[in-house]
Amino acid sequence: MEFIHDDEGDVWKALAHSTRRRILDLLVEGPCTTGDVVTALNMDRHVVMAHLTILRAADLVLTEKRGRYRVNFINAVTIQQIHHRWVIQSSGPWAAALIAVRDEAEGATGRPLADDDTIDERKISG
């Protein structure tokens, strides 16, 4: 999957700030008006709006105007692209290696490791 956003640096810049991550955490729960975000974070409206501007520039947040309100939504497409590029592709080899270690360890006795087992104890008790 190719990363659609033109400047990936905008995404990392947006994610680098804890307040913007808190806003995204809030939006994961559902769309919020800008006022809802201000209230939830107990921050100055102008500060929240500046953070939302950066999140929109990075395509992490979409905003829809409804009358005099602006409703903010998390952009699942950009989040999925980040997940695919940095998590799924990176974890594949590690996950396969860990599964191979688990299979080899369990293969010695045919039973899963107990919480207090070590591989050496299993060889002795197996």
Side-chain angles (χ1 to χ4, degrees):
M1 171 182 269
E2 187 175 317
F3 202 81
I4 294 173
H5 194 273
D6 290 338
D7 185 4
E8 192 176 320
D10 288 348
V11 172
W12 298 114
K13 175 184 172 186
L15 292 173
H17 198 284
S18 64
T19 299
R20 292 191 283 271
R21 292 191 306 270
R22 288 176 57 205
I23 292 170
L24 291 173
D25 288 339
L26 185 62
L27 296 178
V28 163
E29 297 174 15
C32 294
T33 65
T34 301
D36 292 338
V37 176
V38 167
T39 301
L41 299 181
N42 194 27
M43 297 182 84
D44 181 80
R45 182 176 193 83
H46 291 32
V47 171
V48 169
M49 289 173 62
H51 285 297
L52 284 169
T53 298
I54 292 168
L55 290 167
R56 280 193 300 272
D59 290 331
L60 290 165
V61 170
L62 304 172
T63 302
E64 179 181 301
K65 191 168 182 178
R66 293 185 185 166
R68 60 185 199 143
Y69 298 100
R70 294 189 188 275
V71 181
N72 302 285
F73 302 82
I74 195 159
N75 186 353
V77 172
T78 302
I79 299 296
Q80 180 63 34
Q81 290 170 334
I82 293 167
H83 182 260
H84 184 267
R85 176 163 184 197
W86 295 100
V87 177
I88 292 176
Q89 288 185 7
S90 301
S91 67
W94 285 103
L98 289 172
I99 289 169
V101 168
R102 180 204 64 198
D103 290 348
E104 186 170 327
E106 289 178 356
T109 65
R111 68 174 175 82
L113 286 171
D115 288 340
D116 57 349
D117 275 348
T118 65
I119 293 177
D120 292 334
E121 289 172 351
R122 288 186 55 194
K123 287 180 181 176
I124 295 169
S125 64

